[in-house]
Amino acid sequence: MSHSADADSVKSVFLSAVQFATSTHSFPPFIDDLKLSAQEQVEYMLVEDQHAPLFINDDHVKSELRTCLSKMFSLFEVQACSLLLQSDDSLEAAAKMALSSLSDIEWICKILPKMDLMKDFVVSWLCISEKILAILREENIDTFLWAFKLKLLEVLGKVLEAIGYGNVVLPTAARVCMLKLWLPYIRKWKLLLDLHDSSDQLCMYKIDSDLCHNIEAAIVSLVLALPSNDQAEIFSDWLTAEKVTYPDLSEAFELWCFRSKAAKRRCMAGENGVGAAPL
């Protein structure tokens, strides 16, 4: 009985730490330090603590984390939508709140793979993507809020890596949708930020080179795993985009061309009653 009670207590502490680590309560001036401490404790309990298997394999803990994740995305969506309602004077404060929620969402990416819950995260991200991108297209936001947009790219990078490297398996339609939604904005943001030199106020929002590489590599991997017809559609859009520099899909495009030619040769050989032509 005591062992069971101890296990329940440890799980309770873990869930309380997760809830506080993603809380939106305001307790200035210590809230940031307390949240950081809670986040570090959660990470420690999942990696170093002897009780880690209690969390990783517990259905109740996973259910609570799914609920927490749902609340986080709902809050972030509400805060992002509220940006459209702000005056110029209040936009910065509203954006700061949305950025804080997005930072919490980024943090929880660290623990979800250990709980085998990253698919829940990716699906939630896909569900809000169209609405978030519509908000970013609005005139009063399109050329502002770069800290917020950079954080979006950082979270998007984690989503693309999870899908691109097969850690999260989604139907083809969902993978194509993710690429079609986000590729134009990845190109646009990267181009705009690269145009600013060190004297520009936006230079502080340069995209980290490692982040650029990781996003590009994940996109290439994701594209190469799609059916040929879906790849063709992605490449067609990529080739017709102005100033195509990022992401660089040239190697993936060359491989697609090679595979398409090989498939055509096999098809023609089959129609002629001849064995497949050697590659």
Side-chain angles (χ1 to χ4, degrees), residues 33-44:
D33 290 340
L34 290 173
K35 284 185 69 171
L36 179 60
S37 177
Q39 290 172 358
E40 291 174 347
Q41 182 62 27
V42 169
E43 293 172 34
Y44 172 82

Side-chain angles (χ1 to χ4, degrees), residues 118-119 122 155-171 174-176 178-179 213-226 231:
M118 196 59 186
K119 184 172 184 178
V122 170
V155 178
L156 177 62
K158 298 180 184 300
V159 172
L160 291 174
E161 286 180 26
I163 306 172
Y165 300 132
N167 298 319
V168 171
V169 179
L170 294 180
R175 287 178 280 144
V176 171
M178 183 74 76
L179 283 172
H213 173 75
N214 292 341
I215 289 178
E216 187 172 71
I219 289 174
V220 169
S221 180
L222 179 51
V223 170
L224 288 176
L226 293 175
Q231 287 183 9

Side-chain angles (χ1 to χ4, degrees), residues 212-269:
C212 285
H213 173 75
N214 292 341
I215 289 178
E216 187 172 71
I219 289 174
V220 169
S221 180
L222 179 51
V223 170
L224 288 176
L226 293 175
S228 181
N229 288 342
D230 293 311
Q231 287 183 9
E233 194 171 350
I234 296 296
F235 289 133
S236 177
D237 175 67
W238 174 68
L239 290 169
T240 55
E242 293 184 9
K243 300 180 181 179
V244 178
T245 57
Y246 184 86
D248 183 2
L249 302 183
S250 54
E251 290 187 15
F253 177 63
E254 290 173 6
L255 182 56
W256 174 81
C257 290
F258 173 78
R259 288 174 175 174
S260 297
K261 291 176 182 177
K264 185 175 181 180
R265 288 199 300 269
R266 286 194 297 268
C267 182
M268 292 175 66

